Amino acid sequence: VDRKRIYAIGLSNGGMMSLRLACEAAVHFAGVGAVAASMPKALALGCRPSAPVSVIVVNGTDDPIVPYRGGTVRVGLVGFGEVLSTDETVALWARLNGCGPPAAPVPLGKNGRDGGSRAMQIDHDCPGARVRLVRVEGGGHAWPGGMQFLPALLIGRVNREIDAGQAAWAFFKGVPPR
């Protein structure tokens, strides 16, 4: 294992765990990814990474479980805590990594709508790290390019324009080693 190129990525709660790893164990990770996940508010308050860490966030704007605009994470009527909005999550990591302003959004995939969703990439330039948002417009609580593991009525649409795994790996390959 190349200890200078260790990454973590997860979906939903696993994505939130990856963000926690970046906060609490940054020296061990060159980059982390969060899919269908935003920064928990309680974690954001005390997040002080010991080193720059690259972060990619892949979130759908129509996620009915982890709200893109922030708020309470919900499965049905049950709440599971508060998260920052996706934009606040990305802005937090940009600030923690000393990044400049975001670049203009760039369409990904087929450059068109796919089943009612489309993917846009927004990058921040940072010294010693990278921060990227892949905003899946019309996407739900799902791994883009993955299976529709529950009905769209429950989790929203799965975007087919991109594959979140491939997008994350392309991002991680360009991350500076730890």
Side-chain angles (χ1 to χ4, degrees):
V1 172
D2 182 346
R3 294 190 183 276
K4 294 182 180 194
R5 296 189 183 276
I6 296 175
Y7 314 103
I9 188 167
L11 171 72
S12 192
N13 197 39
M16 292 179 208
M17 181 197 73
S18 293
L19 295 172
R20 182 174 183 163
L21 290 171
C23 290
E24 298 177 4
V27 296
H28 300 293
F29 295 91
V32 301
V35 180
S38 290
M39 189 74 149
K41 281 189 177 181
L43 179 60
L45 293 173
C47 183
R48 305 283 183 273
S50 57
V53 61
S54 295
V55 176
I56 181 172
V57 176
V58 182
N59 281 353
T61 60
D62 291 350
D63 186 331
I65 297 171
V66 178
Y68 190 89
R69 289 172 188 79
T72 302
V73 174
R74 289 198 180 282
V75 177
L77 298 175
V78 180
F80 290 94
E82 301 282 318
V83 292
L84 300 179
S85 73
T86 296
D87 292 338
E88 290 170 327
T89 296
V90 172
L92 172 69
W93 286 105
R95 182 179 56 75
L96 290 171
N97 284 318
C99 303
V106 175
L108 295 178
K110 299 177 237 173
N111 271 341
R113 298 190 75 72
D114 175 60
S117 69
R118 131 180 113 161
M120 303 293 285
Q121 176 178 301
I122 303 164
D123 287 312
H124 291 260
D125 283 326
C126 321
R130 300 172 70 201
V131 174
R132 173 173 292 165
L133 167 61
V134 177
R135 182 179 63 220
V136 183
E137 297 170 354
H141 190 77
W143 188 278
M147 294 174 28
Q148 182 77 46
F149 61 93
L150 287 171
L153 180 65
L154 298 176
I155 64 167
R157 294 182 175 126
V158 175
N159 177 276
R160 301 275 181 223
E161 275 197 323
I162 64 165
D163 179 293
Q166 291 175 357
W169 181 237
F171 174 79
F172 290 146
K173 286 192 299 187
V175 163
R178 171 72 36 231

